[in-house]
Amino acid sequence: MSTLEIRDLKVSVKLPEGELKPILAGVNLTVKSGETHAIMGPNGSGKSTLAYSIAGHPKYEITGGTVTLDGVDVLEMSVDERARAGLFLAMQYPVEVPGVSVANFLRTAKTAIDGAAPKLRTWGGELRGAMERLQMDPAFAQRNVNEGFSGGEKKRHEIVQLELLKPKIAVLDETDSGLDVDALRVVSEGVNRVRDTGDTGLLLITHYTRILRYIKPDFVHVFVAGRIVEEGGPELADKLEDEGYERYVAGAGAARA
Protein backbone atom coordinates (compact mmCIF):
# COMPACT_ATOMS: atom_id res chain seq x y z
CA MET A 1 0.00 0.00 0.00
CA SER A 2 1.25 3.48 -0.91
CA THR A 3 0.53 6.69 0.95
CA LEU A 4 0.70 10.32 -0.17
CA GLU A 5 0.96 12.62 2.85
CA ILE A 6 0.51 16.39 2.59
CA ARG A 7 1.23 18.33 5.75
CA ASP A 8 0.65 22.08 6.25
CA LEU A 9 1.42 22.76 2.58
CA LYS A 10 1.76 26.43 1.72
CA VAL A 11 2.21 27.49 -1.90
CA SER A 12 2.52 30.80 -3.73
CA VAL A 13 2.25 31.48 -7.46
CA LYS A 14 4.93 33.44 -9.28
CA LEU A 15 3.40 36.52 -10.91
CA PRO A 16 4.83 37.92 -14.19
CA GLU A 17 6.36 40.87 -12.35
CA GLY A 18 8.24 38.48 -10.09
CA GLU A 19 6.14 38.82 -6.96
CA LEU A 20 4.71 35.84 -5.08
CA LYS A 21 0.96 35.58 -4.46
CA PRO A 22 -0.01 33.15 -1.65
CA ILE A 23 -2.54 30.52 -2.79
CA LEU A 24 -2.42 27.50 -0.47
CA ALA A 25 -2.63 28.37 3.21
CA GLY A 26 -1.77 25.11 4.97
CA VAL A 27 -3.26 21.97 3.37
CA ASN A 28 -3.35 18.65 5.25
CA LEU A 29 -4.38 15.53 3.35
CA THR A 30 -3.54 11.81 3.26
CA VAL A 31 -4.36 9.61 0.27
CA LYS A 32 -3.75 5.84 0.31
CA SER A 33 -3.87 3.14 -2.35
CA GLY A 34 -7.44 2.12 -3.16
CA GLU A 35 -8.96 5.30 -1.72
CA THR A 36 -10.86 7.91 -3.71
CA HIS A 37 -10.76 11.47 -2.36
CA ALA A 38 -12.84 14.24 -3.94
CA ILE A 39 -11.62 17.82 -3.58
CA MET A 40 -14.54 20.19 -4.20
CA GLY A 41 -14.66 23.95 -4.10
CA PRO A 42 -15.45 27.14 -6.02
CA ASN A 43 -13.32 28.68 -8.74
CA GLY A 44 -10.14 30.31 -7.47
CA SER A 45 -9.98 28.30 -4.25
CA GLY A 46 -6.60 26.72 -5.05
CA LYS A 47 -7.63 23.22 -6.15
CA SER A 48 -5.56 23.22 -9.33
CA THR A 49 -2.66 24.83 -7.48
CA LEU A 50 -2.65 21.81 -5.19
CA ALA A 51 -2.58 19.47 -8.19
CA TYR A 52 0.25 21.25 -9.98
CA SER A 53 2.27 21.68 -6.79
CA ILE A 54 2.16 17.92 -6.21
CA ALA A 55 3.29 17.38 -9.80
CA GLY A 56 6.12 19.93 -9.57
CA HIS A 57 5.01 22.76 -11.87
CA PRO A 58 7.73 25.47 -11.78
CA LYS A 59 5.16 28.28 -11.66
CA TYR A 60 4.35 27.40 -8.06
CA GLU A 61 6.72 27.96 -5.15
CA ILE A 62 6.46 25.87 -2.00
CA THR A 63 6.75 28.23 0.97
CA GLY A 64 6.01 25.75 3.76
CA GLY A 65 4.98 22.23 4.65
CA THR A 66 5.80 18.79 3.27
CA VAL A 67 4.64 16.30 0.65
CA THR A 68 5.83 12.69 0.96
CA LEU A 69 5.11 9.50 -0.98
CA ASP A 70 5.75 6.40 1.10
CA GLY A 71 7.87 8.52 3.41
CA VAL A 72 10.07 9.96 0.65
CA ASP A 73 10.21 13.74 0.16
CA VAL A 74 8.36 14.53 -3.07
CA LEU A 75 9.30 18.21 -3.03
CA GLU A 76 12.98 17.33 -3.48
CA MET A 77 12.21 15.37 -6.67
CA SER A 78 12.24 16.69 -10.24
CA VAL A 79 9.04 16.34 -12.26
CA ASP A 80 10.23 13.16 -14.01
CA GLU A 81 11.38 11.68 -10.70
CA ARG A 82 7.90 12.23 -9.28
CA ALA A 83 6.38 10.37 -12.23
CA ARG A 84 8.80 7.47 -11.83
CA ALA A 85 8.04 7.38 -8.10
CA GLY A 86 4.38 6.75 -8.94
CA LEU A 87 2.65 10.14 -9.14
CA PHE A 88 0.33 10.90 -12.06
CA LEU A 89 -1.48 14.10 -13.06
CA ALA A 90 -4.41 14.15 -15.48
CA MET A 91 -4.48 17.79 -16.55
CA GLN A 92 -7.53 19.99 -16.79
CA TYR A 93 -6.24 21.31 -20.13
CA PRO A 94 -4.08 18.60 -21.76
CA VAL A 95 -1.43 20.11 -24.03
CA GLU A 96 -0.68 19.26 -27.65
CA VAL A 97 2.70 17.70 -28.47
CA PRO A 98 3.34 18.15 -32.21
CA GLY A 99 5.61 15.60 -33.83
CA VAL A 100 5.14 12.91 -31.16
CA SER A 101 2.64 10.14 -31.83
CA VAL A 102 0.39 8.81 -29.10
CA ALA A 103 1.91 5.34 -29.51
CA ASN A 104 5.48 6.61 -29.15
CA PHE A 105 4.58 8.89 -26.27
CA LEU A 106 2.91 6.13 -24.28
CA ARG A 107 5.63 3.55 -24.90
CA THR A 108 8.35 6.07 -23.97
CA ALA A 109 6.49 7.02 -20.79
CA LYS A 110 5.94 3.37 -19.86
CA THR A 111 9.64 2.62 -20.42
CA ALA A 112 10.73 5.59 -18.29
CA ILE A 113 8.45 4.68 -15.41
CA ASP A 114 9.07 0.92 -15.41
CA GLY A 115 12.79 1.17 -16.13
CA ALA A 116 12.45 -1.24 -19.08
CA ALA A 117 10.64 -1.14 -22.40
CA PRO A 118 7.35 -3.06 -22.54
CA LYS A 119 7.50 -6.25 -24.60
CA LEU A 120 6.56 -5.55 -28.19
CA ARG A 121 4.57 -8.76 -28.50
CA THR A 122 2.16 -7.67 -25.77
CA TRP A 123 2.37 -3.87 -25.77
CA GLY A 124 0.37 -3.35 -28.96
CA GLY A 125 -2.51 -5.36 -27.56
CA GLU A 126 -2.39 -3.50 -24.23
CA LEU A 127 -2.50 -0.15 -26.01
CA ARG A 128 -5.36 -1.15 -28.33
CA GLY A 129 -7.30 -2.63 -25.42
CA ALA A 130 -6.98 0.52 -23.32
CA MET A 131 -8.06 2.71 -26.23
CA GLU A 132 -11.02 0.49 -27.03
CA ARG A 133 -12.17 0.52 -23.40
CA LEU A 134 -12.13 4.33 -23.56
CA GLN A 135 -13.95 4.15 -26.91
CA MET A 136 -11.06 5.79 -28.77
CA ASP A 137 -10.46 4.88 -32.41
CA PRO A 138 -7.18 2.88 -32.50
CA ALA A 139 -6.12 5.15 -35.38
CA PHE A 140 -5.51 7.85 -32.76
CA ALA A 141 -2.38 5.91 -31.73
CA GLN A 142 -0.65 7.21 -34.85
CA ARG A 143 -1.77 10.82 -34.41
CA ASN A 144 0.29 13.44 -32.62
CA VAL A 145 -0.45 13.74 -28.92
CA ASN A 146 -3.69 15.73 -28.47
CA GLU A 147 -3.18 17.55 -31.79
CA GLY A 148 -6.60 18.20 -33.27
CA PHE A 149 -8.26 16.16 -30.52
CA SER A 150 -11.62 17.31 -29.21
CA GLY A 151 -11.92 18.09 -25.50
CA GLY A 152 -13.49 14.69 -24.88
CA GLU A 153 -10.78 12.87 -26.85
CA LYS A 154 -8.08 14.62 -24.83
CA LYS A 155 -9.70 13.53 -21.58
CA ARG A 156 -10.11 9.95 -22.79
CA HIS A 157 -6.44 9.93 -23.72
CA GLU A 158 -5.55 11.05 -20.19
CA ILE A 159 -7.36 8.01 -18.79
CA VAL A 160 -5.69 5.71 -21.34
CA GLN A 161 -2.42 6.95 -19.84
CA LEU A 162 -3.74 6.30 -16.34
CA GLU A 163 -4.69 2.72 -17.20
CA LEU A 164 -1.38 1.90 -18.90
CA LEU A 165 1.05 3.65 -16.53
CA LYS A 166 -0.55 2.28 -13.34
CA PRO A 167 0.57 5.00 -10.88
CA LYS A 168 0.53 4.71 -7.10
CA ILE A 169 -1.33 8.03 -6.69
CA ALA A 170 -3.29 9.78 -9.44
CA VAL A 171 -4.42 13.41 -9.29
CA LEU A 172 -7.30 14.09 -11.69
CA ASP A 173 -7.69 17.84 -12.17
CA GLU A 174 -11.26 18.55 -13.32
CA THR A 175 -11.28 15.56 -15.64
CA ASP A 176 -15.05 16.07 -16.00
CA SER A 177 -14.81 19.60 -17.45
CA GLY A 178 -15.98 19.87 -21.04
CA LEU A 179 -17.36 16.33 -21.23
CA ASP A 180 -20.82 15.49 -22.48
CA VAL A 181 -22.78 12.87 -20.58
CA ASP A 182 -21.63 9.94 -22.75
CA ALA A 183 -17.95 10.90 -22.55
CA LEU A 184 -18.29 11.47 -18.80
CA ARG A 185 -19.63 7.94 -18.36
CA VAL A 186 -16.85 6.37 -20.44
CA VAL A 187 -14.11 8.34 -18.67
CA SER A 188 -15.58 7.54 -15.26
CA GLU A 189 -15.68 3.84 -16.09
CA GLY A 190 -11.97 4.03 -16.93
CA VAL A 191 -11.19 5.71 -13.62
CA ASN A 192 -13.24 3.10 -11.78
CA ARG A 193 -11.32 0.27 -13.46
CA VAL A 194 -8.08 1.72 -12.12
CA ARG A 195 -9.57 2.37 -8.68
CA ASP A 196 -10.97 -1.16 -8.45
CA THR A 197 -7.50 -2.71 -8.75
CA GLY A 198 -6.80 -1.35 -5.27
CA ASP A 199 -3.29 -0.33 -6.35
CA THR A 200 -3.93 3.37 -7.02
CA GLY A 201 -5.11 6.16 -4.76
CA LEU A 202 -7.21 8.83 -6.48
CA LEU A 203 -7.40 12.55 -5.75
CA LEU A 204 -10.32 13.80 -7.83
CA ILE A 205 -10.62 17.57 -8.17
CA THR A 206 -13.97 18.93 -9.36
CA HIS A 207 -16.47 21.78 -9.06
CA TYR A 208 -19.53 19.66 -9.55
CA THR A 209 -21.09 16.51 -8.17
CA ARG A 210 -22.03 15.04 -11.55
CA ILE A 211 -18.84 12.98 -11.89
CA LEU A 212 -19.37 11.68 -8.34
CA ARG A 213 -22.54 9.97 -9.55
CA TYR A 214 -20.23 7.69 -11.53
CA ILE A 215 -17.11 7.65 -9.32
CA LYS A 216 -18.10 7.12 -5.69
CA PRO A 217 -15.66 8.90 -3.35
CA ASP A 218 -14.63 7.50 0.00
CA PHE A 219 -13.87 10.99 1.29
CA VAL A 220 -15.00 14.48 0.27
CA HIS A 221 -13.00 17.60 1.17
CA VAL A 222 -14.36 21.14 0.77
CA PHE A 223 -11.60 23.46 -0.44
CA VAL A 224 -11.96 27.22 0.05
CA ALA A 225 -9.38 30.03 0.18
CA GLY A 226 -6.43 27.68 -0.10
CA ARG A 227 -7.33 25.23 2.62
CA ILE A 228 -9.65 22.34 3.46
CA VAL A 229 -12.54 23.74 5.51
CA GLU A 230 -14.72 20.64 5.91
CA GLU A 231 -14.36 16.90 5.39
CA GLY A 232 -16.81 14.01 5.23
CA GLY A 233 -18.05 11.05 3.24
CA PRO A 234 -20.10 10.88 0.02
CA GLU A 235 -23.03 12.54 1.81
CA LEU A 236 -21.04 15.79 1.95
CA ALA A 237 -21.10 15.95 -1.86
CA ASP A 238 -24.90 15.70 -1.76
CA LYS A 239 -24.98 18.54 0.75
CA LEU A 240 -22.84 20.69 -1.56
CA GLU A 241 -25.17 19.91 -4.45
CA ASP A 242 -28.10 21.25 -2.42
CA GLU A 243 -26.45 24.19 -0.66
CA GLY A 244 -23.44 25.21 -2.78
CA TYR A 245 -20.30 26.83 -1.40
CA GLU A 246 -21.71 30.17 -0.29
CA ARG A 247 -21.54 29.62 3.46
CA TYR A 248 -17.96 28.33 3.24
CA VAL A 249 -16.89 31.31 1.15
CA ALA A 250 -18.60 33.70 3.56
CA GLY A 251 -16.92 31.99 6.50
CA ALA A 252 -13.49 32.25 4.86
CA GLY A 253 -14.07 35.94 4.19
CA ALA A 254 -15.05 36.56 7.78
CA ALA A 255 -11.96 34.71 9.02
CA ARG A 256 -9.66 36.87 6.86
CA ALA A 257 -11.40 40.02 8.13
mmCIF file of all heavy atoms in Angstrom, residues 2-37:
data_model
loop_
_atom_site.group_PDB
_atom_site.id
_atom_site.type_symbol
_atom_site.label_atom_id
_atom_site.label_comp_id
_atom_site.label_asym_id
_atom_site.label_seq_id
_atom_site.Cartn_x
_atom_site.Cartn_y
_atom_site.Cartn_z
ATOM 1 N N SER A 2 0.516 2.214 -0.839
ATOM 2 C CA SER A 2 1.248 3.479 -0.909
ATOM 3 C C SER A 2 0.439 4.582 -0.238
ATOM 4 O O SER A 2 -0.792 4.530 -0.193
ATOM 5 C CB SER A 2 1.525 3.852 -2.366
ATOM 6 O OG SER A 2 2.460 2.971 -2.935
ATOM 7 N N THR A 3 1.167 5.585 0.257
ATOM 8 C CA THR A 3 0.527 6.690 0.955
ATOM 9 C C THR A 3 1.148 8.010 0.534
ATOM 10 O O THR A 3 2.381 8.185 0.598
ATOM 11 C CB THR A 3 0.675 6.542 2.482
ATOM 12 O OG1 THR A 3 0.102 5.302 2.901
ATOM 13 C CG2 THR A 3 -0.023 7.682 3.207
ATOM 14 N N LEU A 4 0.290 8.944 0.088
ATOM 15 C CA LEU A 4 0.701 10.322 -0.165
ATOM 16 C C LEU A 4 0.281 11.153 1.032
ATOM 17 O O LEU A 4 -0.900 11.193 1.376
ATOM 18 C CB LEU A 4 0.037 10.862 -1.428
ATOM 19 C CG LEU A 4 0.345 12.321 -1.779
ATOM 20 C CD1 LEU A 4 1.770 12.465 -2.284
ATOM 21 C CD2 LEU A 4 -0.641 12.857 -2.821
ATOM 22 N N GLU A 5 1.250 11.794 1.674
ATOM 23 C CA GLU A 5 0.957 12.621 2.853
ATOM 24 C C GLU A 5 1.309 14.074 2.572
ATOM 25 O O GLU A 5 2.437 14.387 2.201
ATOM 26 C CB GLU A 5 1.738 12.118 4.062
ATOM 27 C CG GLU A 5 1.085 10.947 4.763
ATOM 28 C CD GLU A 5 1.574 10.785 6.201
ATOM 29 O OE1 GLU A 5 1.145 11.572 7.070
ATOM 30 O OE2 GLU A 5 2.385 9.883 6.431
ATOM 31 N N ILE A 6 0.332 14.940 2.745
ATOM 32 C CA ILE A 6 0.514 16.386 2.586
ATOM 33 C C ILE A 6 0.304 17.016 3.952
ATOM 34 O O ILE A 6 -0.749 16.824 4.568
ATOM 35 C CB ILE A 6 -0.482 16.951 1.564
ATOM 36 C CG1 ILE A 6 -0.313 16.255 0.210
ATOM 37 C CG2 ILE A 6 -0.324 18.457 1.421
ATOM 38 C CD1 ILE A 6 -1.420 16.559 -0.780
ATOM 39 N N ARG A 7 1.294 17.745 4.413
ATOM 40 C CA ARG A 7 1.232 18.327 5.752
ATOM 41 C C ARG A 7 1.525 19.825 5.709
ATOM 42 O O ARG A 7 2.618 20.238 5.306
ATOM 43 C CB ARG A 7 2.227 17.632 6.702
ATOM 44 C CG ARG A 7 1.825 16.202 7.054
ATOM 45 C CD ARG A 7 0.605 16.197 7.974
ATOM 46 N NE ARG A 7 0.046 14.852 8.146
ATOM 47 C CZ ARG A 7 -0.946 14.349 7.453
ATOM 48 N NH1 ARG A 7 -1.499 15.076 6.484
ATOM 49 N NH2 ARG A 7 -1.413 13.134 7.691
ATOM 50 N N ASP A 8 0.518 20.630 6.117
ATOM 51 C CA ASP A 8 0.650 22.081 6.253
ATOM 52 C C ASP A 8 1.272 22.718 5.013
ATOM 53 O O ASP A 8 2.139 23.586 5.117
ATOM 54 C CB ASP A 8 1.475 22.413 7.501
ATOM 55 C CG ASP A 8 1.294 23.867 7.950
ATOM 56 O OD1 ASP A 8 0.221 24.443 7.695
ATOM 57 O OD2 ASP A 8 2.241 24.433 8.538
ATOM 58 N N LEU A 9 0.822 22.287 3.841
ATOM 59 C CA LEU A 9 1.417 22.759 2.584
ATOM 60 C C LEU A 9 0.989 24.190 2.285
ATOM 61 O O LEU A 9 -0.197 24.499 2.215
ATOM 62 C CB LEU A 9 1.006 21.838 1.437
ATOM 63 C CG LEU A 9 1.639 22.149 0.076
ATOM 64 C CD1 LEU A 9 3.149 21.945 0.126
ATOM 65 C CD2 LEU A 9 1.012 21.296 -1.019
ATOM 66 N N LYS A 10 1.979 25.031 2.084
ATOM 67 C CA LYS A 10 1.756 26.429 1.717
ATOM 68 C C LYS A 10 2.439 26.678 0.379
ATOM 69 O O LYS A 10 3.611 26.324 0.190
ATOM 70 C CB LYS A 10 2.307 27.380 2.783
ATOM 71 C CG LYS A 10 1.662 27.225 4.155
ATOM 72 C CD LYS A 10 2.254 28.222 5.148
ATOM 73 C CE LYS A 10 1.561 28.144 6.508
ATOM 74 N NZ LYS A 10 1.858 26.872 7.205
ATOM 75 N N VAL A 11 1.704 27.295 -0.540
ATOM 76 C CA VAL A 11 2.211 27.490 -1.903
ATOM 77 C C VAL A 11 1.841 28.885 -2.382
ATOM 78 O O VAL A 11 0.726 29.368 -2.132
ATOM 79 C CB VAL A 11 1.628 26.434 -2.871
ATOM 80 C CG1 VAL A 11 2.092 26.700 -4.298
ATOM 81 C CG2 VAL A 11 2.020 25.033 -2.441
ATOM 82 N N SER A 12 2.778 29.520 -3.087
ATOM 83 C CA SER A 12 2.516 30.803 -3.732
ATOM 84 C C SER A 12 2.757 30.663 -5.226
ATOM 85 O O SER A 12 3.539 29.811 -5.677
ATOM 86 C CB SER A 12 3.451 31.888 -3.168
ATOM 87 O OG SER A 12 3.165 32.143 -1.807
ATOM 88 N N VAL A 13 2.069 31.482 -6.008
ATOM 89 C CA VAL A 13 2.250 31.477 -7.457
ATOM 90 C C VAL A 13 3.155 32.645 -7.828
ATOM 91 O O VAL A 13 3.091 33.730 -7.240
ATOM 92 C CB VAL A 13 0.886 31.583 -8.184
ATOM 93 C CG1 VAL A 13 0.202 32.922 -7.893
ATOM 94 C CG2 VAL A 13 1.070 31.371 -9.673
ATOM 95 N N LYS A 14 4.018 32.402 -8.809
ATOM 96 C CA LYS A 14 4.929 33.440 -9.278
ATOM 97 C C LYS A 14 4.220 34.300 -10.312
ATOM 98 O O LYS A 14 3.830 33.818 -11.377
ATOM 99 C CB LYS A 14 6.182 32.804 -9.886
ATOM 100 C CG LYS A 14 6.996 31.973 -8.903
ATOM 101 C CD LYS A 14 8.152 31.265 -9.599
ATOM 102 C CE LYS A 14 8.897 30.361 -8.626
ATOM 103 N NZ LYS A 14 9.977 29.595 -9.305
ATOM 104 N N LEU A 15 4.051 35.587 -9.995
ATOM 105 C CA LEU A 15 3.399 36.517 -10.910
ATOM 106 C C LEU A 15 4.407 36.994 -11.962
ATOM 107 O O LEU A 15 5.622 36.929 -11.745
ATOM 108 C CB LEU A 15 2.842 37.703 -10.128
ATOM 109 C CG LEU A 15 1.790 37.353 -9.055
ATOM 110 C CD1 LEU A 15 1.373 38.602 -8.303
ATOM 111 C CD2 LEU A 15 0.578 36.668 -9.685
ATOM 112 N N PRO A 16 3.912 37.484 -13.117
ATOM 113 C CA PRO A 16 4.828 37.916 -14.186
ATOM 114 C C PRO A 16 5.839 38.956 -13.733
ATOM 115 O O PRO A 16 6.974 38.988 -14.214
ATOM 116 C CB PRO A 16 3.870 38.491 -15.245
ATOM 117 C CG PRO A 16 2.584 37.767 -15.010
ATOM 118 C CD PRO A 16 2.510 37.544 -13.528
ATOM 119 N N GLU A 17 5.445 39.831 -12.807
ATOM 120 C CA GLU A 17 6.360 40.874 -12.347
ATOM 121 C C GLU A 17 7.347 40.365 -11.298
ATOM 122 O O GLU A 17 8.162 41.137 -10.771
ATOM 123 C CB GLU A 17 5.583 42.073 -11.788
ATOM 124 C CG GLU A 17 4.579 41.718 -10.708
ATOM 125 C CD GLU A 17 3.201 41.375 -11.236
ATOM 126 O OE1 GLU A 17 3.093 40.938 -12.388
ATOM 127 O OE2 GLU A 17 2.226 41.564 -10.476
ATOM 128 N N GLY A 18 7.264 39.072 -11.000
ATOM 129 C CA GLY A 18 8.243 38.477 -10.092
ATOM 130 C C GLY A 18 7.769 38.329 -8.661
ATOM 131 O O GLY A 18 8.447 37.680 -7.859
ATOM 132 N N GLU A 19 6.645 38.933 -8.323
ATOM 133 C CA GLU A 19 6.136 38.818 -6.958
ATOM 134 C C GLU A 19 5.492 37.457 -6.728
ATOM 135 O O GLU A 19 5.121 36.757 -7.669
ATOM 136 C CB GLU A 19 5.112 39.931 -6.687
ATOM 137 C CG GLU A 19 5.682 41.341 -6.758
ATOM 138 C CD GLU A 19 4.619 42.395 -6.492
ATOM 139 O OE1 GLU A 19 3.490 42.015 -6.101
ATOM 140 O OE2 GLU A 19 4.905 43.588 -6.690
ATOM 141 N N LEU A 20 5.357 37.090 -5.447
ATOM 142 C CA LEU A 20 4.707 35.838 -5.076
ATOM 143 C C LEU A 20 3.338 36.130 -4.476
ATOM 144 O O LEU A 20 3.211 36.968 -3.577
ATOM 145 C CB LEU A 20 5.549 35.065 -4.063
ATOM 146 C CG LEU A 20 6.866 34.472 -4.563
ATOM 147 C CD1 LEU A 20 7.612 33.815 -3.405
ATOM 148 C CD2 LEU A 20 6.621 33.459 -5.674
ATOM 149 N N LYS A 21 2.317 35.444 -4.988
ATOM 150 C CA LYS A 21 0.963 35.578 -4.458
ATOM 151 C C LYS A 21 0.597 34.297 -3.718
ATOM 152 O O LYS A 21 0.536 33.227 -4.320
ATOM 153 C CB LYS A 21 -0.034 35.819 -5.588
ATOM 154 C CG LYS A 21 -1.489 35.909 -5.112
ATOM 155 C CD LYS A 21 -2.434 36.069 -6.282
ATOM 156 C CE LYS A 21 -3.891 36.097 -5.822
ATOM 157 N NZ LYS A 21 -4.823 36.212 -6.968
ATOM 158 N N PRO A 22 0.352 34.363 -2.406
ATOM 159 C CA PRO A 22 -0.008 33.149 -1.654
ATOM 160 C C PRO A 22 -1.323 32.552 -2.151
ATOM 161 O O PRO A 22 -2.291 33.272 -2.371
ATOM 162 C CB PRO A 22 -0.146 33.660 -0.213
ATOM 163 C CG PRO A 22 0.628 34.947 -0.170
ATOM 164 C CD PRO A 22 0.457 35.548 -1.532
ATOM 165 N N ILE A 23 -1.332 31.223 -2.333
ATOM 166 C CA ILE A 23 -2.537 30.522 -2.788
ATOM 167 C C ILE A 23 -2.971 29.473 -1.766
ATOM 168 O O ILE A 23 -4.093 29.502 -1.271
ATOM 169 C CB ILE A 23 -2.321 29.850 -4.160
ATOM 170 C CG1 ILE A 23 -1.892 30.883 -5.204
ATOM 171 C CG2 ILE A 23 -3.598 29.132 -4.596
ATOM 172 C CD1 ILE A 23 -2.960 31.886 -5.552
ATOM 173 N N LEU A 24 -2.100 28.535 -1.459
ATOM 174 C CA LEU A 24 -2.417 27.502 -0.466
ATOM 175 C C LEU A 24 -1.969 27.958 0.907
ATOM 176 O O LEU A 24 -0.839 28.430 1.086
ATOM 177 C CB LEU A 24 -1.752 26.171 -0.825
ATOM 178 C CG LEU A 24 -2.121 25.558 -2.179
ATOM 179 C CD1 LEU A 24 -1.543 24.149 -2.298
ATOM 180 C CD2 LEU A 24 -3.629 25.539 -2.408
ATOM 181 N N ALA A 25 -2.867 27.789 1.888
ATOM 182 C CA ALA A 25 -2.634 28.373 3.206
ATOM 183 C C ALA A 25 -2.518 27.321 4.306
ATOM 184 O O ALA A 25 -2.928 27.542 5.435
ATOM 185 C CB ALA A 25 -3.765 29.343 3.534
ATOM 186 N N GLY A 26 -1.955 26.158 3.961
ATOM 187 C CA GLY A 26 -1.774 25.109 4.968
ATOM 188 C C GLY A 26 -2.725 23.948 4.733
ATOM 189 O O GLY A 26 -3.731 23.811 5.429
ATOM 190 N N VAL A 27 -2.395 23.101 3.753
ATOM 191 C CA VAL A 27 -3.257 21.971 3.369
ATOM 192 C C VAL A 27 -2.748 20.699 4.035
ATOM 193 O O VAL A 27 -1.549 20.392 3.994
ATOM 194 C CB VAL A 27 -3.277 21.784 1.837
ATOM 195 C CG1 VAL A 27 -4.093 20.544 1.461
ATOM 196 C CG2 VAL A 27 -3.842 23.028 1.167
ATOM 197 N N ASN A 28 -3.666 19.952 4.644
ATOM 198 C CA ASN A 28 -3.352 18.654 5.247
ATOM 199 C C ASN A 28 -4.243 17.596 4.613
ATOM 200 O O ASN A 28 -5.469 17.716 4.616
ATOM 201 C CB ASN A 28 -3.590 18.687 6.765
ATOM 202 C CG ASN A 28 -2.620 19.600 7.476
ATOM 203 O OD1 ASN A 28 -1.452 19.274 7.656
ATOM 204 N ND2 ASN A 28 -3.103 20.767 7.880
ATOM 205 N N LEU A 29 -3.623 16.554 4.069
ATOM 206 C CA LEU A 29 -4.384 15.532 3.348
ATOM 207 C C LEU A 29 -3.554 14.257 3.255
ATOM 208 O O LEU A 29 -2.346 14.322 3.022
ATOM 209 C CB LEU A 29 -4.723 16.029 1.942
ATOM 210 C CG LEU A 29 -5.606 15.144 1.059
ATOM 211 C CD1 LEU A 29 -6.993 14.992 1.656
ATOM 212 C CD2 LEU A 29 -5.701 15.739 -0.346
ATOM 213 N N THR A 30 -4.196 13.111 3.431
ATOM 214 C CA THR A 30 -3.543 11.808 3.264
ATOM 215 C C THR A 30 -4.363 10.965 2.311
ATOM 216 O O THR A 30 -5.575 10.798 2.496
ATOM 217 C CB THR A 30 -3.409 11.073 4.620
ATOM 218 O OG1 THR A 30 -2.632 11.873 5.518
ATOM 219 C CG2 THR A 30 -2.719 9.731 4.438
ATOM 220 N N VAL A 31 -3.704 10.451 1.275
ATOM 221 C CA VAL A 31 -4.363 9.608 0.265
ATOM 222 C C VAL A 31 -3.616 8.280 0.199
ATOM 223 O O VAL A 31 -2.398 8.264 0.009
ATOM 224 C CB VAL A 31 -4.353 10.277 -1.121
ATOM 225 C CG1 VAL A 31 -5.068 9.393 -2.140
ATOM 226 C CG2 VAL A 31 -4.994 11.651 -1.068
ATOM 227 N N LYS A 32 -4.356 7.169 0.337
ATOM 228 C CA LYS A 32 -3.749 5.836 0.314
ATOM 229 C C LYS A 32 -4.246 5.042 -0.892
ATOM 230 O O LYS A 32 -5.290 5.346 -1.470
ATOM 231 C CB LYS A 32 -4.084 5.081 1.608
ATOM 232 C CG LYS A 32 -3.534 5.744 2.861
ATOM 233 C CD LYS A 32 -3.895 4.940 4.111
ATOM 234 C CE LYS A 32 -3.333 5.608 5.358
ATOM 235 N NZ LYS A 32 -3.671 4.843 6.591
ATOM 236 N N SER A 33 -3.480 4.022 -1.260
ATOM 237 C CA SER A 33 -3.875 3.138 -2.355
ATOM 238 C C SER A 33 -5.296 2.638 -2.149
ATOM 239 O O SER A 33 -5.681 2.276 -1.037
ATOM 240 C CB SER A 33 -2.938 1.932 -2.430
ATOM 241 O OG SER A 33 -1.611 2.326 -2.658
ATOM 242 N N GLY A 34 -6.076 2.639 -3.213
ATOM 243 C CA GLY A 34 -7.435 2.123 -3.156
ATOM 244 C C GLY A 34 -8.472 3.114 -2.673
ATOM 245 O O GLY A 34 -9.669 2.838 -2.745
ATOM 246 N N GLU A 35 -8.027 4.285 -2.197
ATOM 247 C CA GLU A 35 -8.956 5.305 -1.718
ATOM 248 C C GLU A 35 -9.260 6.308 -2.829
ATOM 249 O O GLU A 35 -8.411 6.599 -3.675
ATOM 250 C CB GLU A 35 -8.371 6.064 -0.526
ATOM 251 C CG GLU A 35 -8.176 5.225 0.716
ATOM 252 C CD GLU A 35 -7.598 6.020 1.871
ATOM 253 O OE1 GLU A 35 -7.144 7.172 1.648
ATOM 254 O OE2 GLU A 35 -7.582 5.492 2.998
ATOM 255 N N THR A 36 -10.472 6.845 -2.793
ATOM 256 C CA THR A 36 -10.861 7.915 -3.710
ATOM 257 C C THR A 36 -11.254 9.132 -2.885
ATOM 258 O O THR A 36 -12.198 9.086 -2.095
ATOM 259 C CB THR A 36 -12.041 7.493 -4.602
ATOM 260 O OG1 THR A 36 -11.656 6.353 -5.369
ATOM 261 C CG2 THR A 36 -12.436 8.608 -5.548
ATOM 262 N N HIS A 37 -10.505 10.212 -3.061
ATOM 263 C CA HIS A 37 -10.756 11.475 -2.365
ATOM 264 C C HIS A 37 -11.235 12.505 -3.376
ATOM 265 O O HIS A 37 -10.597 12.699 -4.417
ATOM 266 C CB HIS A 37 -9.479 11.998 -1.701
ATOM 267 C CG HIS A 37 -8.989 11.153 -0.580
ATOM 268 N ND1 HIS A 37 -9.042 11.554 0.746
ATOM 269 C CD2 HIS A 37 -8.425 9.915 -0.574
ATOM 270 C CE1 HIS A 37 -8.527 10.599 1.509
ATOM 271 N NE2 HIS A 37 -8.141 9.600 0.729
#
